[in-house]
Amino acid sequence: MTPTFFLAIALPALAAATSLLAAPAAAQAGDLKGVVELFTSQGCSSCPPADAELARLAEEDDVLALGYHVDYWNYRGWSDTLSSAASTERQYGYARTLRRKNVYTPQAVINGEDHVNGADGAAIGKVMDKLSSIGEGLTVEVTAIMHADELRISVGPGEGKADIVAVYFDDANTVKIKRGENAGRTITYRHSVRDMETVGMWNGNRVELKLPSSVISAHPGRRCAILLQVVSPDGSPGRILGAARI
């Protein structure tokens, strides 16, 4: 399914997750093979196989799997309960970065560098392997750990400039779809992104950040990941240099 209109890029509202306070775990970029971002919709008949593939990837220790529910299919009889304009804007930002004239669902963007049909698990794996082999995988070390009432983020040295972005997502949402192309189906969606927040900047030097609990408590019950992502002057998302899952 491929609409051909374009939207302006906008970052979602600043937010954080209370659940982090009880999760003193850390993950390094070196532990992750890649970041897979699926653009999907409950109103897209082609999307359930891709949603299932994202659910499989969500169980992989070396992959950060994130789902973005777009809102441009909401007019077709069913409004996606997890959709947002911000998810649509992010996908169109990738279209500009990847020099595409349109977007589609289900689209999987890997490391901000390439894309494939989100239902094709083999193709997703091949792209992750290819990017790693040419030095465009997750090459900058990122760690994130809860310490007392602080979220401590560390980004190692490297080359270039990038934003440090906190991504807040639900672990799972089960939705009974009553109308539209998937009417009558009940689907469990994994790792649906609900908010994103730019918490710092990186210029190639090591960066140490601390986020107070007053920021983290804004999103109770949600999980969090940290992305180190290149962003263009117009706000379009680009290559993901590193990531950590908390």
Side-chain angles (χ1 to χ4, degrees), residues 27-42:
Q28 296 185 11
D31 298 330
L32 294 174
K33 184 178 181 180
V35 177
V36 177
E37 297 176 278
L38 174 67
F39 294 90
T40 185
S41 172
Q42 295 169 13

Side-chain angles (χ1 to χ4, degrees), residues 107-148:
Q107 181 187 34
V109 176
I110 299 95
N111 292 355
E113 283 280 272
D114 204 348
H115 70 100
V116 297
N117 186 307
D120 192 339
I124 292 172
K126 287 180 181 179
V127 170
M128 281 194 288
D129 289 340
K130 179 195 74 173
L131 293 175
S132 294
S133 69
I134 63 175
E136 295 183 4
L138 304 183
T139 56
V140 179
E141 182 182 18
V142 178
T143 64
I145 188 169
M146 290 306 305
H147 180 79

Side-chain angles (χ1 to χ4, degrees), residues 24-63:
Q28 296 185 11
D31 298 330
L32 294 174
K33 184 178 181 180
V35 177
V36 177
E37 297 176 278
L38 174 67
F39 294 90
T40 185
S41 172
Q42 295 169 13
C44 161
S45 60
S46 303
C47 287
D51 299 321
E53 176 60 23
L54 190 77
R56 185 189 69 80
L57 290 171
E59 298 300 319
E60 298 291 326
D61 292 336
D62 60 352
V63 177

Side-chain angles (χ1 to χ4, degrees), residues 37 96 158 190 220:
E37 297 176 278
R96 288 192 285 274
R190 297 294 309 279

